[in-house]
Amino acid sequence: MEITWLGVVFIPLGVIAFVVAPKSLYGIAVFSIPFTATSLLNSSSGYPLSPLLFFGTLFMARQLLSSRPGRVTSASREDRSQLLLMLFLGVVVLSMIMPVIINGRLVVSSSQLYDLYEEPLRLTVHNVKNWVPVVFGVLFSICLIRQNGTVVKIQSTIKLYVISGLLVSLWGYFQVLCGPVLSIEYPYYLFNNAKIESMQGYTEQLEVGGDLYQRISSVTHEPSIFSKYLLTVLPIVLLSVLLRRPLFSLVRDRYVLAILIGVLVLTTSTTAYLGIICIFLVTAILLRRLHLIGWRWVPYAGFVAIVLLTLYFKLAVFQNFVDTLLLMKYESGSGLERALSVVNSWEYFKQYPILGVGWAMVTSHNLLTFLLVSTGVIGFTVFFSLIFYVVRRSLQTLAKFDPNAGAQDSSVFVLVAGLVVGLVTLVVIGILTGLEFYLGYFYFILSMLVALNIAAKSKRGEPQLDASWKMIRSVPVS
């Protein structure tokens, strides 16, 4: 065990906050979601202690110790999102019996071309912990939902999430400037101090036309993870700008939007580019479905496509860049590894289709095959039932609000719309490149949507009453 300088500062601070300022734990946990390459405590035998894991655990522990009664509403009782979320967790935990049942009868591949090997699948001291991140994520989601009982609280939480995204984006710009402009070494020891090699994405470079370009990972452990996180922030700001319902202010929202798109472009990540396209398409479809835009956006999209095609065929540098990122990648080792992981996972699933072979026992860079091989048809069905249910509830919430109405109603509309676009984009990108269930951004987007659906319905229905008041009101009067 090796405590980092951040651990020296924040571990005692977290313990003090747990006792004297417990409300601050929630804000710090939300703010720390993108810091996936930051470690408070490094361990040679496992993953480091991240700020989210530390402060999130303290936040959840404080929630459990709190004697304050939760809010009881008909909306929260009717919503089935938390039930489906807990059911998914139950399937994940249950799937861990499969390695015990299989006990070496199935030989699985590493699906890594540069470290290709096969080994019998068994439950070991290393993989027995695979389900723990999902337990943390689900419990963190439920605590977030219960913490955000009103629209005002949800707005404050999402603003904090966007501010965190803005700051790590600015740190990403700083990472770009360190080498060629400032001529200084990138200070990785500040926020990229995890010692596991797979988390040192700040060292990655991309070769285009014989030249090396620095890839941006900011405070995350690789550029694609940085991109996926920002793809959950971008839709919230984008919808605020498009519908002219500011999150901060009209001018500031535009600046934030430009910063987010700019740093996504500079990541040189295929995930970022596909995600941006997906966000604009899903946004256009959603706004069209809600009758907020017509088909005037189609000529603009066509014009942008023509410009990009012209640049591709006329500008050699741009063509090399596109070929490296989008075309040659799927002919490279990375693309072959992804294809191999999907094919192998499908073959293993066909042998154990009910519960799969156990959670994260096999690597698959595709959300569909990962769920099938990890939890079988049961987990696959429960997960997508959860996603479809949350999206359907969110669309019902959007249908009840007029974006041109009062300030609070329109802000709810924008937040729900932005979160829906973010969740759909995350799932689509997950199908193409995988979804990291051990990171916090997926659980945050999901929990905020659930909380907004409950709060919005409560706001338009009965007033929220504490459990004690519910009991008093139910007492018959003689």
Side-chain angles (χ1 to χ4, degrees):
M1 290 284 187
E2 177 188 350
I3 189 170
T4 66
W5 75 270
L6 285 172
V8 172
V9 175
F10 284 106
I11 290 178
L13 183 64
V15 174
I16 294 172
F18 182 84
V19 178
V20 301
K23 292 183 179 179
S24 64
L25 295 172
Y26 168 69
I28 298 174
V30 171
F31 185 86
S32 64
I33 287 175
F35 290 77
T36 63
T38 305
S39 174
L40 305 183
L41 192 66
N42 280 317
S43 170
S44 58
S45 60
Y47 280 90
L49 177 64
S50 68
L52 174 60
L53 182 59
F54 178 67
F55 287 103
T57 301
L58 291 179
F59 160 64
M60 291 187 290
R62 191 67 190 186
Q63 285 283 94
L64 292 175
L65 293 175
S66 175
S67 59
R68 184 179 59 185
R71 293 186 177 275
V72 179
T73 66
S74 60
S76 61
R77 286 195 302 267
E78 292 172 4
D79 189 87
R80 298 290 180 266
S81 305
Q82 295 179 72
L83 176 62
L84 287 170
L85 195 56
M86 289 299 297
L87 185 58
F88 177 68
L89 173 60
V91 176
V92 169
V93 175
L94 182 62
S95 72
M96 295 302 294
I97 68 171
M98 292 306 299
V100 179
I101 295 173
I102 294 171
N103 195 27
R105 291 196 300 272
L106 176 67
V107 177
V108 297
S109 170
S110 65
S111 299
Q112 299 176 3
L113 294 181
Y114 299 105
D115 187 22
L116 192 61
Y117 62 89
E118 292 184 334
E119 61 180 356
L121 191 146
R122 291 187 176 92
L123 193 66
T124 67
V125 293
H126 298 290
N127 59 33
V128 73
K129 304 175 290 185
N130 288 357
W131 55 278
V132 174
V134 183
V135 174
F136 174 84
V138 170
L139 295 180
F140 185 60
S141 297
I142 292 175
C143 287
L144 284 177
I145 294 168
R146 296 184 178 181
Q147 179 74 16
N148 291 273
T150 65
V151 172
V152 174
K153 285 185 178 180
I154 297 170
Q155 288 173 328
S156 299
T157 300
I158 292 177
K159 282 183 180 181
L160 179 61
Y161 187 71
V162 173
I163 290 172
S164 179
L166 173 64
L167 293 180
V168 300
S169 296
L170 294 176
W171 187 256
Y173 283 108
F174 174 71
Q175 182 183 354
V176 174
L177 295 175
C178 278
V181 178
L182 301 178
S183 299
I184 60 174
E185 183 184 6
Y186 174 67
Y188 64 89
Y189 44 82
L190 293 179
F191 303 117
N192 302 78
N193 56 357
K195 287 194 172 181
I196 297 179
E197 186 177 353
S198 61
M199 289 190 168
Q200 297 175 354
Y202 63 89
T203 62
E204 291 188 21
Q205 293 181 315
L206 181 71
E207 183 177 356
V208 180
D211 297 322
L212 292 176
Y213 295 89
Q214 180 68 46
R215 303 191 68 193
I216 303 178
S217 60
S218 186
V219 299
T220 68
H221 54 274
E222 64 176 62
S224 64
I225 299 299
F226 184 43
S227 301
K228 288 181 182 180
Y229 163 71
L230 290 183
L231 291 175
T232 65
V233 181
L234 179 60
I236 301 170
V237 183
L238 177 63
L239 267 296
S240 298
V241 171
L242 290 179
L243 298 179
R244 301 181 64 83
R245 296 296 178 182
L247 193 64
F248 303 104
S249 72
L250 289 174
V251 175
R252 290 173 183 171
D253 285 359
R254 291 189 181 119
Y255 282 133
V256 174
L257 181 63
I259 290 171
L260 292 175
I261 293 178
V263 77
L264 278 168
V265 172
L266 290 175
T267 58
T268 63
S269 169
T270 306
T271 299
Y273 304 143
L274 294 177
I276 291 174
I277 295 172
C278 184
I279 284 174
F280 279 100
L281 285 177
V282 175
T283 299
I285 293 171
L286 179 62
L287 296 184
R288 172 62 184 169
R289 187 182 192 281
L290 297 171
H291 307 291
L292 294 177
I293 61 172
W295 294 105
R296 288 182 297 175
W297 61 273
V298 175
Y300 294 106
F303 175 74
V304 172
I306 292 173
V307 170
L308 292 176
L309 286 173
T310 303
L311 289 174
Y312 177 78
F313 288 109
K314 297 295 184 181
L315 196 61
V317 175
F318 186 74
Q319 186 179 45
N320 290 335
F321 189 76
V322 173
D323 288 346
T324 301
L325 286 176
L326 299 180
L327 303 181
M328 294 181 182
K329 179 172 183 176
Y330 293 98
E331 299 175 2
S332 65
S334 174
L336 292 175
E337 277 189 5
R338 293 175 184 275
L340 181 62
S341 71
V342 172
V343 172
N344 287 337
S345 298
W346 178 254
E347 293 300 322
Y348 304 147
F349 159 71
K350 288 194 296 184
Q351 297 181 55
Y352 299 93
I354 307 301
L355 274 176
V357 300
W359 183 256
M361 292 291 170
V362 175
T363 300
S364 179
H365 299 286
N366 176 286
L367 176 60
L368 303 179
T369 53
F370 175 80
L371 288 171
L372 288 171
V373 75
S374 296
T375 57
V377 292
I378 298 178
F380 182 90
T381 303
V382 173
F383 178 81
F384 279 102
S385 296
L386 169 65
I387 298 299
F388 288 133
Y389 180 81
V390 172
V391 171
R392 183 175 65 86
R393 290 270 297 181
S394 302
L395 294 177
Q396 291 172 349
T397 301
L398 288 174
K400 296 174 183 177
F401 283 89
D402 182 3
N404 300 315
Q408 191 172 37
D409 280 4
S410 61
S411 64
V412 171
F413 183 92
V414 168
L415 292 179
V416 174
L419 291 170
V420 166
V421 173
L423 180 61
V424 172
T425 300
L426 205 55
V427 172
V428 172
I429 295 299
I431 292 173
L432 298 175
T433 64
L435 181 62
E436 291 72 26
F437 285 94
Y438 59 90
L439 299 179
Y441 50 80
F442 167 72
Y443 300 104
F444 178 84
I445 291 295
L446 188 67
S447 60
M448 287 299 99
L449 262 180
V450 174
L452 263 174
N453 290 333
I454 294 173
K457 187 166 184 178
S458 298
K459 180 175 178 294
R460 289 184 165 259
E462 65 174 358
Q464 296 181 359
L465 299 175
D466 286 346
S468 57
W469 285 103
K470 286 279 187 178
M471 294 174 63
I472 292 173
R473 194 179 68 174
S474 63
V475 173
V477 179
S478 55

